[in-house]
Amino acid sequence: IRANVEMFDEFYRSTSLVQGEKINVKTLIIAGDKDEVATVKQVTELHARFNNAELKIMKESGHILVLERPSATGNIINNWLK
């Protein structure tokens, strides 16, 4: 798991954070509060880099939100699209 986390961390820092400032369209970022791959701290940093992003943190959720809590994830996306 540590190697995966380190690999994600490197990917995350080299792409998403750098590119976030260039993205000006409305963006939804959803994260799980129990995610050990993309931690709340990392996702909050990512969110801060976007110009027009909304951040939703799902309680009692990990990294694969669509599989863990499909209805709740769908509701967040549907409400955001309205």
Side-chain angles (χ1 to χ4, degrees):
I1 288 181
R2 183 179 177 150
N4 288 340
V5 170
E6 289 173 2
M7 186 172 64
F8 174 79
D9 191 52
E10 179 62 31
F11 169 77
Y12 166 80
R13 296 203 182 286
S14 66
T15 57
S16 301
L17 282 176
V18 174
Q19 299 301 320
E21 293 173 342
K22 297 177 183 178
I23 298 172
N24 294 308
V25 297
K26 187 177 173 184
T27 304
L28 174 62
I29 301 170
I30 308 173
D33 67 345
K34 305 286 186 201
D35 192 337
E36 294 180 10
V37 177
T39 66
V40 171
K41 180 180 182 241
Q42 291 172 322
V43 174
T44 302
E45 290 174 12
L46 174 67
H47 173 249
R49 301 295 290 253
F50 281 71
N51 295 314
N52 189 16
E54 183 175 341
L55 174 62
K56 295 289 186 183
I57 306 291
M58 294 180 64
K59 297 202 181 288
E60 301 300 319
S61 301
H63 188 69
I64 308 173
L65 302 170
V66 176
L67 294 178
E68 295 175 36
R69 301 192 54 213
S71 293
T73 304
N75 288 336
I76 289 172
I77 295 169
N78 284 331
N79 288 332
W80 181 79
L81 289 171
K82 290 181 182 178

